[in-house]
Amino acid sequence: MSVAQDLETPEDVIFPPGDLYSDEPPLETDLHRLQMTLLIQCLEWLWRNRNDFYASGNLTIYYSPRQLKSENFRGPDFFVVQGTERKPRKSWVVWEEDGKYPNLIVELLSDSTAATDKGLKKQIYQDIFRTPEYFWFDPNNLEFAGFVLLAGKYQPLEPNSLGWLWSQQLELYLGIDKEKLRFFTPEGQLIPAPEEVARQAELEKQRSDRLAAKLRELNIDPDTI
């Protein structure tokens, strides 16, 4: 079946029920699982006051009653949909989500998936999903690339001097830091994970407590300063 055969007109389609469970195997390694979780947690922390997006990973996207159902096509490792409701889902069912597809997709490459991620999946994301931005990252060898959809075709994104790639969809950079794919603000600041925020807050509290203790040793009430 060609990818084009999945492009169906509404009058040709009788859609199945939308209450469909995700049907994805576990990610291949801990590196892949931790990387996916890191991307989700960082974006959700950054956008913690927003309710108009959905970020998830390793979750089935049901886009056609006749879509490819094989080992060759699985749900994206990380994806973001904007202009939708932020709530838990069993899967992403396009015909139940006002026809919305991901605005951005990241695939985590491995030896067994790289060919599909760079071939079949890229073609599906380009021709069917029409996802504006597609990235891939290999947690093992740190291969990193990104593409933007221009005139219906993916064109490579050009890295900046740090090797980061700009995402217009997120208005953030994606780049490698300490062998992990991370988000950065337009000014170059690392977007932290919640545990990193909590760790920094704890360090600041410890410093504050030490300072207060030192002041008390000098008979100075820190609360009066």
Coordinates of all heavy atoms in Angstrom, one line a residue, residues 50-117:
R50 N -0.5 26.9 30.7 CA -1.3 26.9 29.4 C -2.2 25.6 29.4 O -1.8 24.6 30.0 CB -0.4 26.8 28.2 CG 0.3 28.1 28.0 CD 1.3 28.0 26.8 NE 0.6 27.5 25.6 CZ 1.2 27.4 24.4 NH1 2.5 27.9 24.2 NH2 0.6 26.9 23.3
N51 N -3.3 25.7 28.8 CA -4.2 24.6 28.7 C -4.6 24.3 27.2 O -5.6 23.7 26.9 CB -5.5 24.8 29.5 CG -5.2 24.8 31.0 OD1 -4.7 23.9 31.5 ND2 -5.5 25.9 31.6
D52 N -3.8 24.8 26.3 CA -4.2 24.7 24.9 C -3.2 23.9 24.0 O -3.0 24.1 22.9 CB -4.3 26.2 24.3 CG -2.9 26.9 24.3 OD1 -2.0 26.4 25.1 OD2 -2.8 27.9 23.6
F53 N -2.7 22.9 24.7 CA -1.7 22.0 24.0 C -1.8 20.6 24.5 O -2.3 20.4 25.6 CB -0.3 22.5 24.0 CG 0.4 22.3 25.4 CD1 1.2 21.2 25.6 CD2 0.1 23.1 26.5 CE1 1.8 20.9 26.8 CE2 0.7 22.9 27.7 CZ 1.5 21.8 27.9
Y54 N -1.3 19.6 23.8 CA -1.1 18.3 24.3 C 0.2 17.7 23.9 O 0.6 17.8 22.7 CB -2.2 17.4 23.6 CG -2.1 15.9 24.0 CD1 -2.4 15.5 25.3 CD2 -1.8 14.9 23.1 CE1 -2.4 14.2 25.7 CE2 -1.7 13.6 23.5 CZ -2.0 13.2 24.8 OH -2.0 11.9 25.2
A55 N 1.0 17.3 24.8 CA 2.3 16.7 24.6 C 2.4 15.3 25.1 O 2.0 15.0 26.3 CB 3.4 17.6 25.3
S56 N 2.8 14.4 24.3 CA 2.9 13.0 24.7 C 4.0 12.3 23.9 O 4.7 12.9 23.1 CB 1.5 12.3 24.5 OG 1.5 11.0 25.1
G57 N 4.1 11.0 24.2 CA 5.1 10.2 23.5 C 4.8 8.7 23.5 O 4.1 8.2 24.4
N58 N 5.3 8.0 22.5 CA 5.0 6.5 22.4 C 3.5 6.2 22.5 O 3.1 5.3 23.2 CB 5.8 5.8 23.4 CG 6.0 4.3 23.1 OD1 6.1 4.0 21.9 ND2 6.0 3.4 24.1
L59 N 2.7 7.0 21.8 CA 1.3 6.9 21.9 C 0.8 6.8 20.5 O 1.2 7.5 19.6 CB 0.7 8.2 22.6 CG -0.8 8.1 22.9 CD1 -0.9 7.4 24.3 CD2 -1.4 9.5 23.0
T60 N -0.1 5.9 20.2 CA -0.7 5.7 18.9 C -1.4 6.9 18.4 O -2.3 7.4 19.1 CB -1.6 4.4 18.8 OG1 -0.9 3.3 19.3 CG2 -2.1 4.2 17.4
I61 N -1.2 7.3 17.2 CA -2.0 8.3 16.5 C -2.8 7.6 15.5 O -2.3 7.0 14.5 CB -1.1 9.4 15.8 CG1 -0.4 10.2 16.9 CG2 -2.0 10.3 14.9 CD1 0.5 11.3 16.3
Y62 N -4.1 7.6 15.7 CA -5.0 6.9 14.7 C -5.5 8.0 13.7 O -6.2 8.9 14.1 CB -6.2 6.3 15.4 CG -5.9 5.1 16.3 CD1 -5.8 5.3 17.7 CD2 -5.6 3.9 15.8 CE1 -5.4 4.2 18.5 CE2 -5.3 2.8 16.5 CZ -5.2 3.0 17.9 OH -4.9 1.9 18.7
Y63 N -5.1 7.9 12.5 CA -5.4 8.9 11.5 C -6.2 8.4 10.4 O -6.7 9.2 9.6 CB -4.1 9.5 11.0 CG -3.2 8.6 10.2 CD1 -3.3 8.4 8.9 CD2 -2.2 7.8 10.9 CE1 -2.5 7.5 8.2 CE2 -1.4 7.0 10.2 CZ -1.5 6.8 8.9 OH -0.7 5.9 8.2
S64 N -6.4 7.1 10.2 CA -7.2 6.6 9.1 C -7.7 5.2 9.5 O -6.9 4.4 10.0 CB -6.3 6.5 7.8 OG -6.9 5.7 6.9
P65 N -8.9 4.8 9.1 CA -9.4 3.5 9.3 C -8.6 2.4 8.6 O -8.5 1.3 9.0 CB -10.8 3.5 8.8 CG -11.2 4.9 8.9 CD -10.0 5.7 8.6
R66 N -7.8 2.9 7.5 CA -7.0 1.9 6.7 C -5.5 2.2 6.9 O -4.8 1.8 6.1 CB -7.4 2.0 5.3 CG -8.9 1.7 5.0 CD -9.0 1.2 3.5 NE -8.6 2.2 2.6 CZ -9.4 3.1 2.0 NH1 -10.7 3.1 2.3 NH2 -9.0 4.0 1.1
Q67 N -5.2 2.9 8.0 CA -3.8 3.2 8.2 C -2.9 2.0 8.3 O -3.4 0.9 8.6 CB -3.6 4.1 9.4 CG -3.6 3.4 10.7 CD -3.6 4.4 11.9 OE1 -4.5 5.2 12.0 NE2 -2.5 4.4 12.6
L68 N -1.6 2.1 8.0 CA -0.7 1.0 8.1 C -0.6 0.5 9.5 O -0.3 1.2 10.4 CB 0.7 1.5 7.6 CG 0.8 2.1 6.2 CD1 2.2 2.7 6.0 CD2 0.5 1.0 5.2
K69 N -0.9 -0.8 9.7 CA -0.9 -1.4 11.0 C 0.2 -2.5 10.9 O -0.2 -3.7 10.5 CB -2.2 -1.9 11.4 CG -3.2 -0.9 11.8 CD -2.8 0.0 12.9 CE -2.8 -0.8 14.2 NZ -2.4 0.0 15.4
S70 N 1.4 -2.2 11.2 CA 2.5 -3.2 11.1 C 3.6 -2.7 12.0 O 3.6 -1.7 12.6 CB 2.9 -3.4 9.7 OG 3.7 -2.2 9.3
E71 N 4.7 -3.5 12.0 CA 5.8 -3.1 12.8 C 6.5 -1.9 12.1 O 7.4 -1.3 12.8 CB 6.8 -4.3 12.9 CG 6.3 -5.5 13.7 CD 6.1 -5.0 15.1 OE1 7.0 -4.5 15.8 OE2 5.0 -5.3 15.6
N72 N 6.2 -1.6 10.9 CA 6.8 -0.5 10.2 C 6.3 0.9 10.7 O 6.9 1.9 10.4 CB 6.6 -0.6 8.7 CG 7.5 -1.7 8.1 OD1 8.5 -2.0 8.7 ND2 7.0 -2.4 7.1
F73 N 5.1 0.9 11.2 CA 4.6 2.2 11.7 C 4.1 2.1 13.1 O 3.2 1.4 13.4 CB 3.4 2.7 10.8 CG 3.0 4.1 11.2 CD1 3.7 5.2 10.9 CD2 1.9 4.3 12.0 CE1 3.4 6.5 11.3 CE2 1.5 5.5 12.5 CZ 2.3 6.6 12.1
R74 N 4.7 3.0 13.9 CA 4.3 3.1 15.3 C 4.1 4.5 15.7 O 4.5 5.4 14.9 CB 5.4 2.5 16.2 CG 5.5 0.9 16.0 CD 6.7 0.4 16.8 NE 6.9 -1.0 16.7 CZ 7.9 -1.7 17.1 NH1 8.9 -1.1 17.7 NH2 7.9 -3.0 17.0
G75 N 3.5 4.8 16.8 CA 3.3 6.2 17.2 C 4.6 6.9 17.4 O 5.6 6.3 17.7
P76 N 4.6 8.2 17.3 CA 5.8 9.0 17.5 C 6.3 8.9 18.9 O 5.6 8.7 19.8 CB 5.3 10.5 17.2 CG 4.1 10.3 16.4 CD 3.4 9.1 16.8
D77 N 7.6 9.0 19.0 CA 8.2 8.9 20.3 C 7.9 10.2 21.2 O 7.9 10.1 22.4 CB 9.8 8.7 20.2 CG 10.1 7.4 19.6 OD1 9.4 6.4 19.9 OD2 11.1 7.3 18.9
F78 N 7.8 11.3 20.5 CA 7.4 12.5 21.2 C 6.6 13.4 20.2 O 7.1 13.5 19.0 CB 8.6 13.3 21.7 CG 8.3 14.7 22.3 CD1 7.7 14.8 23.5 CD2 8.5 15.8 21.5 CE1 7.5 16.1 24.0 CE2 8.3 17.1 22.0 CZ 7.7 17.2 23.2
F79 N 5.5 14.0 20.6 CA 4.8 14.9 19.7 C 4.0 15.9 20.5 O 3.7 15.7 21.7 CB 3.9 14.1 18.7 CG 2.7 13.4 19.4 CD1 1.5 14.1 19.5 CD2 2.8 12.1 19.9 CE1 0.4 13.5 20.1 CE2 1.7 11.5 20.4 CZ 0.5 12.2 20.6
V80 N 3.8 17.0 19.8 CA 3.1 18.2 20.4 C 1.9 18.6 19.5 O 2.2 18.8 18.3 CB 4.0 19.4 20.7 CG1 3.2 20.5 21.4 CG2 5.2 19.0 21.6
V81 N 0.7 18.7 20.0 CA -0.4 19.3 19.2 C -0.8 20.6 19.9 O -1.0 20.6 21.1 CB -1.6 18.3 19.2 CG1 -2.7 18.9 18.3 CG2 -1.2 16.9 18.7
Q82 N -0.9 21.6 19.2 CA -1.3 22.9 19.7 C -2.7 23.2 19.4 O -3.3 22.7 18.4 CB -0.4 24.0 19.3 CG 1.1 23.8 19.7 CD 1.9 25.1 19.8 OE1 1.5 25.9 20.6 NE2 3.0 25.2 19.1
G83 N -3.4 24.1 20.1 CA -4.7 24.5 19.8 C -5.7 23.4 20.2 O -6.8 23.3 19.5
T84 N -5.4 22.7 21.2 CA -6.3 21.6 21.7 C -6.4 21.6 23.2 O -5.7 22.4 23.8 CB -5.8 20.2 21.2 OG1 -6.8 19.2 21.4 CG2 -4.5 19.8 21.9
E85 N -7.2 20.7 23.8 CA -7.4 20.7 25.2 C -6.3 19.9 25.9 O -6.0 18.8 25.4 CB -8.8 20.1 25.5 CG -9.1 20.2 27.0 CD -10.5 19.6 27.3 OE1 -11.2 19.2 26.4 OE2 -10.8 19.5 28.5
R86 N -5.8 20.4 26.9 CA -4.7 19.7 27.7 C -5.4 18.7 28.7 O -6.0 19.2 29.7 CB -3.9 20.7 28.5 CG -2.7 20.0 29.2 CD -1.9 21.1 29.9 NE -0.7 20.6 30.6 CZ 0.2 21.3 31.2 NH1 0.0 22.6 31.3 NH2 1.2 20.7 31.8
K87 N -5.4 17.5 28.4 CA -6.1 16.5 29.2 C -5.5 15.1 28.9 O -5.0 14.9 27.8 CB -7.6 16.4 29.0 CG -8.0 16.0 27.5 CD -9.5 16.0 27.4 CE -9.9 15.5 26.0 NZ -11.3 15.4 25.7
P88 N -5.6 14.1 29.8 CA -5.1 12.8 29.5 C -5.9 12.1 28.4 O -7.1 12.3 28.2 CB -5.3 12.0 30.8 CG -5.4 13.1 31.8 CD -6.1 14.2 31.2
R89 N -5.3 11.3 27.6 CA -5.9 10.6 26.5 C -5.4 9.2 26.4 O -4.3 8.9 26.8 CB -5.7 11.3 25.1 CG -6.4 12.6 25.0 CD -5.8 13.4 23.8 NE -6.6 14.5 23.4 CZ -6.5 15.7 24.0 NH1 -5.6 15.9 24.9 NH2 -7.3 16.7 23.5
K90 N -6.2 8.2 25.9 CA -5.8 6.9 25.7 C -5.0 6.7 24.4 O -4.1 5.8 24.3 CB -7.0 6.0 25.5 CG -7.9 5.9 26.8 CD -9.2 5.1 26.5 CE -10.1 5.1 27.7 NZ -11.4 4.4 27.4
S91 N -5.2 7.6 23.5 CA -4.5 7.7 22.2 C -4.9 9.0 21.6 O -5.7 9.7 22.1 CB -4.9 6.5 21.3 OG -6.3 6.6 21.0
W92 N -4.2 9.3 20.4 CA -4.6 10.5 19.7 C -5.4 10.0 18.5 O -4.9 9.4 17.6 CB -3.4 11.3 19.3 CG -3.9 12.6 18.6 CD1 -4.0 12.8 17.3 CD2 -4.2 13.8 19.3 NE1 -4.4 14.1 17.1 CE2 -4.6 14.8 18.3 CE3 -4.3 14.2 20.6 CZ2 -5.0 16.1 18.6 CZ3 -4.7 15.5 20.9 CH2 -5.0 16.4 19.9
V93 N -6.7 10.3 18.4 CA -7.6 9.9 17.4 C -8.0 11.1 16.5 O -8.8 12.0 17.0 CB -8.9 9.2 17.9 CG1 -9.7 8.7 16.8 CG2 -8.5 8.1 18.9
V94 N -7.4 11.3 15.4 CA -7.5 12.5 14.6 C -8.9 12.9 14.3 O -9.3 14.1 14.5 CB -6.7 12.3 13.3 CG1 -7.0 13.5 12.3 CG2 -5.2 12.3 13.5
W95 N -9.8 11.9 14.0 CA -11.2 12.3 13.6 C -12.0 12.7 14.9 O -13.1 13.2 14.7 CB -11.8 11.2 12.8 CG -11.9 9.9 13.5 CD1 -12.9 9.4 14.3 CD2 -11.0 8.8 13.3 NE1 -12.6 8.1 14.7 CE2 -11.4 7.7 14.1 CE3 -9.8 8.7 12.6 CZ2 -10.7 6.5 14.2 CZ3 -9.1 7.4 12.6 CH2 -9.6 6.4 13.4
E96 N -11.5 12.5 16.1 CA -12.1 12.9 17.3 C -11.5 14.2 17.8 O -11.9 14.7 18.8 CB -12.0 11.8 18.4 CG -12.8 10.5 18.0 CD -14.3 10.7 18.1 OE1 -14.8 11.6 18.9 OE2 -15.0 10.1 17.3
E97 N -10.5 14.7 17.1 CA -9.7 15.9 17.6 C -9.8 17.0 16.6 O -8.8 17.7 16.3 CB -8.3 15.5 17.9 CG -8.1 14.4 18.9 CD -8.3 14.9 20.4 OE1 -8.5 16.1 20.5 OE2 -8.2 14.1 21.3
D98 N -10.9 17.1 15.9 CA -11.1 18.2 14.9 C -10.1 18.1 13.8 O -9.8 19.1 13.2 CB -11.0 19.6 15.6 CG -12.1 19.8 16.6 OD1 -13.3 19.3 16.4 OD2 -11.8 20.5 17.6
G99 N -9.7 16.9 13.5 CA -8.8 16.7 12.4 C -7.4 17.2 12.6 O -6.6 17.3 11.7
K100 N -7.0 17.4 13.9 CA -5.7 18.0 14.2 C -4.6 16.9 14.2 O -4.8 15.8 14.8 CB -5.7 18.7 15.6 CG -6.5 20.0 15.6 CD -6.4 20.6 17.0 CE -7.3 21.9 17.0 NZ -6.7 22.9 16.1
Y101 N -3.5 17.2 13.6 CA -2.3 16.4 13.6 C -1.2 17.1 14.4 O -1.4 18.3 14.7 CB -1.8 16.1 12.2 CG -2.6 15.2 11.4 CD1 -3.7 15.6 10.6 CD2 -2.3 13.8 11.3 CE1 -4.5 14.8 9.8 CE2 -3.0 12.9 10.5 CZ -4.1 13.4 9.8 OH -4.9 12.5 9.0
P102 N -0.2 16.4 14.8 CA 0.9 17.1 15.6 C 1.5 18.3 14.8 O 1.7 18.2 13.6 CB 1.9 16.0 15.7 CG 1.1 14.7 15.7 CD 0.1 14.9 14.7
N103 N 1.8 19.3 15.6 CA 2.6 20.4 15.1 C 4.1 20.1 15.0 O 4.8 20.7 14.2 CB 2.4 21.7 16.0 CG 1.0 22.2 15.9 OD1 0.1 21.6 16.5 ND2 0.7 23.3 15.2
L104 N 4.5 19.2 15.9 CA 5.9 18.9 15.9 C 6.1 17.4 16.4 O 5.3 17.0 17.2 CB 6.7 19.8 16.9 CG 8.1 19.5 17.2 CD1 8.9 20.8 17.4 CD2 8.3 18.6 18.4
I105 N 7.0 16.7 15.8 CA 7.3 15.3 16.1 C 8.8 15.1 16.3 O 9.6 15.7 15.5 CB 6.8 14.4 15.0 CG1 5.2 14.3 15.0 CG2 7.4 13.0 15.2 CD1 4.6 13.5 13.9
V106 N 9.2 14.4 17.3 CA 10.6 13.9 17.5 C 10.6 12.4 17.5 O 9.8 11.8 18.3 CB 11.2 14.5 18.8 CG1 12.6 14.0 19.0 CG2 11.2 16.0 18.8
E107 N 11.4 11.8 16.7 CA 11.6 10.4 16.8 C 13.0 10.1 17.4 O 14.0 10.8 17.1 CB 11.5 9.7 15.4 CG 10.1 9.7 14.8 CD 9.2 8.7 15.5 OE1 9.6 8.0 16.5 OE2 8.0 8.6 15.1
L108 N 13.1 9.1 18.3 CA 14.3 8.7 18.9 C 14.9 7.5 18.1 O 14.3 6.4 18.2 CB 14.1 8.4 20.4 CG 13.5 9.6 21.2 CD1 13.2 9.1 22.6 CD2 14.4 10.8 21.1
L109 N 15.9 7.7 17.4 CA 16.5 6.7 16.5 C 17.1 5.5 17.3 O 17.6 5.7 18.4 CB 17.6 7.2 15.6 CG 17.2 8.4 14.7 CD1 18.4 8.8 13.9 CD2 16.0 8.1 13.9
S110 N 17.1 4.3 16.8 CA 17.8 3.2 17.3 C 18.2 2.4 16.1 O 17.8 2.6 14.9 CB 16.9 2.3 18.2 OG 15.9 1.7 17.5
D111 N 19.0 1.4 16.3 CA 19.5 0.5 15.1 C 18.3 -0.1 14.4 O 18.3 -0.2 13.2 CB 20.4 -0.6 15.6 CG 21.8 0.0 16.1 OD1 22.1 1.1 15.7 OD2 22.5 -0.8 16.8
S112 N 17.3 -0.5 15.1 CA 16.1 -1.2 14.5 C 15.1 -0.2 13.9 O 14.3 -0.7 13.1 CB 15.5 -2.1 15.5 OG 14.9 -1.4 16.6
T113 N 15.1 1.1 14.3 CA 14.1 2.0 13.8 C 14.6 3.1 12.9 O 13.8 3.7 12.2 CB 13.3 2.6 15.0 OG1 14.2 3.5 15.7 CG2 12.8 1.6 15.9
A114 N 15.9 3.3 12.8 CA 16.4 4.4 12.1 C 16.0 4.5 10.7 O 15.6 5.5 10.1 CB 17.9 4.5 12.2
A115 N 16.0 3.4 10.0 CA 15.6 3.3 8.5 C 14.2 3.8 8.4 O 13.8 4.5 7.4 CB 15.9 2.0 7.9
T116 N 13.3 3.2 9.2 CA 11.9 3.6 9.1 C 11.6 5.0 9.5 O 10.9 5.7 8.9 CB 11.0 2.7 10.0 OG1 11.2 1.3 9.6 CG2 9.6 3.0 10.0
D117 N 12.3 5.5 10.6 CA 12.1 6.9 11.0 C 12.6 7.9 9.9 O 12.0 8.9 9.8 CB 12.9 7.2 12.3 CG 12.4 6.4 13.5 OD1 11.2 6.1 13.5 OD2 13.1 6.2 14.4

